[in-house]
Structure formats: structure tokens, C-alpha cells
Amino acid sequence: MIVNMFAINMFIIWIATGLLAVTTVFFNAYMFLMSLLSFKDKKRCPTDTIIMALTVADVTHQLVCYFWMTMDEVDTMCNIAAIPYTVMLLIIFTLKFTIMWDTSFLAFYYSTKLVSTPNHCYTQIQTAILKHVTSVVLLITVCGLGTCMPMLAVFNTGNQTHIKDCGVMMPETYTGQLYVAIYLLTSDLLPGLIMVKCCISISVHLMIHLRHIKASTNGSHCPKLGSEMRVVRMALSLVAIFTLFLVVDLYVHYQIAIKHENVIGLTFFFTSVYTTVTAMVLIYGKKTVWKTLLHDFNVCVDGYPCLSCLKVPEHKTKHNAPAGVKK
């Protein structure tokens, strides 16, 4: 009975992850193409490099995850050797490391553009990092692979039972559990701390900036930041989404490492949710890309009159002031 329930739950997670895979690939591929086009149309921008690396990692991670889950559903008796499954899991964890650090690097970039620090030494470090964005992005991927390689040595991939998935790497020893703690520290907590620091800096900057605007106008109208406010919302949203994902991811790894429960499918599912929502936030943050997406969506809907109710307004409606009231 327990085995049947486990199989049913994994099948549902597999189906749900497949549906999310479509949205993940679509939004990330769309963001990648828009960044690639901006690469050709204007001078190279560090944010485009980071976003392109992030979207490539998101799509690759999603495809490998779903391929692993599909093989696991098809090969229920684990007739295939555990090595292909183990290699795919190694790639998945490496890509997850890359995604987390690319996201924190993006938040770091936005904080450097929004917040000016009086610390000259810190400013020089920021400038040096942003000057070699491509090298940093490649270094993140290499560090991710180097961090995940010890999994092959400290995790147990043999003696799979009919309850466990094929080739799942379980930390059976204290060394394996210690490694899980180190991996979570480097792949989740450290980039999380960077993002929280950037979030605090952006929030403080926003409050100070709004206070200055309000003081300069004597409170005659609400402060307006225009496109800068859009970037602020995007950066803070990225941190909020990352925080929620971090809580779930730590819980799932706790179940795997300490209680030895095989819930790795949940990791793939929640990572799919994270990569989808993150891509949507990035698209919203870039006003030109957001407008292009809405326009393309409306053009597609126009081809099917029965779906005309799904059209999204591309411009904000301006409310007219009541009669007798001056604008």
C-alpha cells in the first residue's frame, strides 16, 4: 500500500513538473532571445550576460530534471545501470548551484546600480567584478561542478530498493551528511545571504530616495521613480522568491539527509516553480521586454477570435479627473 501511494505521488509530481517545464522553457527562452537581440542592437550590458547565463542554466536544468524523472517512471524496475541516473543527478545539482549564484549575482548587479556606497574600497571591488562579468559567470559554473563532484565519493548509489528511485544518491554516512551541510551552505545559504544584503541595501536606498523627493516637493504629490521603481520591484521580488524557495529546499534536503526519505522529486518540482516565476519577474522588470511579450501574446490571440477575451491591454488606461477638479 505504501509503495503504491509512493508511486502515485511520484507520478503526480512527474506530470506537474512536465506542465511547469513548458512554462519554464518558454519564459526563459523568450528572455534569452530578447537579451540576445539587445546584445546585437546596443553596447554589451552586464545584466544581459548574467540573464543569458541564468536562462540557459534554467532551461538545461529543467530538461535534464524532466528527462531523469521520465526515465525513472519508465524504468520502474531499475534495469538500466545506476551510472546514467547518477551522472544526470550530478549535472542537476551543478546547474542548481549555478542558478542560485547567478540569481544572487544578478541581485548584486542591480544593487550596485541602484545604491551608491561611500566606501571606496568596496566600490573598487564592485567595479572589478562587473568588469569581468563573463569570467565570473563561467567561474560560477566551474565552481558548481567542483562542489558537486564529491557526491560520487561520499553518497551511496547502490543497494537500491523498490521504494527508492533509480540511482538516487543517499548520504548513508556522517561524511555524506556533512557534505550535504557544506553543499547547502555553498549553494543555498551563501547566495541567499548576498541576496538579503542586496535587498536591505536597495530598501534603505529606496526609503532615503523617497524621503528626499518628498522633501524637495514639500509633499505636494506622491514621489515617482519611474523605471527605477520597476527595477526595485524586480530585485526585491527576486529576493522574496529566493527566500521562499530556500525554506522549501532546506526542508527537502533535511528529509533526504537526516530522515532518509526519498523526496527528490519535490526538489525538482519546486525548482521548476522557482525557475518559472523568476523568469516571469525578469521579463516584468525589463519594460521593453514586458511590452513586447504582451504585444506578441495579443497578436497570437488575434488569430483566434474565440480567445479575444484573453487579450491583455498593452497600455495603462488614464482616468479622467472629475468635472470641476483641476489636474
Side-chain angles (χ1 to χ4, degrees), residues 112-123:
T112 59
K113 291 301 177 184
L114 294 172
V115 183
S116 56
T117 173
N119 191 326
H120 182 65
C121 180
Y122 185 68
T123 305

Side-chain angles (χ1 to χ4, degrees), residues 90 94 97 142-151 179 182-183 186-187:
L90 180 66
T94 300
F97 180 99
V142 173
C143 289
L145 182 60
T147 303
C148 296
M149 285 299 290
M151 289 181 181
Y179 172 78
I182 296 174
Y183 172 78
T186 55
S187 68

Side-chain angles (χ1 to χ4, degrees), residues 145-163:
L145 182 60
T147 303
C148 296
M149 285 299 290
M151 289 181 181
L152 299 176
V154 301
F155 281 6
N156 178 26
T157 58
N159 300 324
Q160 301 297 322
T161 66
H162 59 284
I163 295 180

Side-chain angles (χ1 to χ4, degrees), residues 287 290-291 294-295 298 312-318:
K287 192 174 183 180
W290 178 252
K291 286 186 174 181
L294 294 182
H295 176 72
N298 288 333
V312 180
E314 299 181 31
H315 303 284
K316 291 183 178 180
T317 56
K318 295 182 179 180

Side-chain angles (χ1 to χ4, degrees), residues 152-209:
L152 299 176
V154 301
F155 281 6
N156 178 26
T157 58
N159 300 324
Q160 301 297 322
T161 66
H162 59 284
I163 295 180
K164 294 181 180 180
D165 291 319
C166 306
V168 171
M169 299 183 287
M170 301 292 290
E172 300 289 347
T173 63
Y174 288 111
T175 304
Q177 293 177 358
L178 177 62
Y179 172 78
V180 171
I182 296 174
Y183 172 78
L184 291 177
L185 177 65
T186 55
S187 68
D188 288 7
L189 294 179
L190 287 181
L193 290 176
I194 293 175
M195 293 191 73
V196 170
K197 188 268 176 189
C198 295
C199 177
I200 294 174
S201 299
I202 293 173
S203 300
V204 172
H205 158 78
L206 179 63
M207 288 189 297
I208 295 174
H209 197 52

Side-chain angles (χ1 to χ4, degrees), residues 297-298 301-302 304-313:
F297 176 77
N298 288 333
V301 171
D302 286 337
Y304 304 92
C306 59
L307 300 178
S308 58
C309 59
L310 298 178
K311 290 191 67 173
V312 180

Side-chain angles (χ1 to χ4, degrees), residues 45-285:
C45 181
T47 181
D48 291 327
T49 303
I50 302 171
I51 288 176
M52 288 176 67
L54 178 60
T55 53
V56 169
D58 284 343
V59 172
T60 308
H61 178 273
Q62 182 66 72
L63 294 177
V64 177
C65 276
Y66 197 65
F67 185 64
W68 183 94
M69 296 177 76
T70 303
M71 285 184 60
D72 188 58
E73 287 294 327
V74 174
D75 185 24
T76 54
M77 302 302 295
C78 297
N79 295 319
I80 303 176
I83 294 178
Y85 293 100
T86 304
V87 171
M88 280 191 288
L89 286 175
L90 180 66
I91 296 173
I92 289 170
F93 284 117
T94 300
L95 289 170
K96 181 204 163 191
F97 180 99
T98 304
I99 291 169
M100 298 299 103
W101 276 98
D102 281 347
T103 308
S104 65
F105 189 27
L106 188 62
F108 169 79
Y109 171 79
Y110 284 126
S111 68
T112 59
K113 291 301 177 184
L114 294 172
V115 183
S116 56
T117 173
N119 191 326
H120 182 65
C121 180
Y122 185 68
T123 305
Q124 285 185 327
I125 295 174
Q126 290 178 337
T127 305
I129 293 175
L130 296 178
K131 188 177 180 180
H132 304 89
V133 172
T134 304
S135 300
V136 174
V137 167
L138 293 175
L139 181 62
I140 289 173
T141 305
V142 173
C143 289
L145 182 60
T147 303
C148 296
M149 285 299 290
M151 289 181 181
L152 299 176
V154 301
F155 281 6
N156 178 26
T157 58
N159 300 324
Q160 301 297 322
T161 66
H162 59 284
I163 295 180
K164 294 181 180 180
D165 291 319
C166 306
V168 171
M169 299 183 287
M170 301 292 290
E172 300 289 347
T173 63
Y174 288 111
T175 304
Q177 293 177 358
L178 177 62
Y179 172 78
V180 171
I182 296 174
Y183 172 78
L184 291 177
L185 177 65
T186 55
S187 68
D188 288 7
L189 294 179
L190 287 181
L193 290 176
I194 293 175
M195 293 191 73
V196 170
K197 188 268 176 189
C198 295
C199 177
I200 294 174
S201 299
I202 293 173
S203 300
V204 172
H205 158 78
L206 179 63
M207 288 189 297
I208 295 174
H209 197 52
L210 290 175
R211 186 178 299 174
H212 288 171
I213 294 176
K214 189 175 181 180
S216 62
T217 58
N218 296 322
S220 58
H221 61 78
C222 296
K224 295 180 180 180
L225 294 177
S227 59
E228 187 182 37
M229 192 62 196
R230 196 181 192 91
V231 176
V232 169
R233 289 197 200 100
M234 177 181 63
L236 296 181
S237 297
L238 287 175
V239 177
I241 296 166
F242 182 90
T243 304
L244 292 175
F245 172 76
L246 178 62
V247 173
V248 174
D249 194 51
L250 291 177
Y251 172 76
V252 170
H253 278 87
Y254 169 78
Q255 296 291 327
I256 295 175
I258 305 300
K259 296 191 175 182
H260 298 285
E261 294 184 9
N262 185 22
V263 289
I264 195 169
L266 286 176
T267 301
F268 299 158
F269 174 75
F270 286 116
T271 306
S272 300
V273 175
Y274 173 77
T275 52
T276 300
V277 176
T278 300
M280 294 174 65
V281 170
L282 290 177
I283 291 174
Y284 169 79

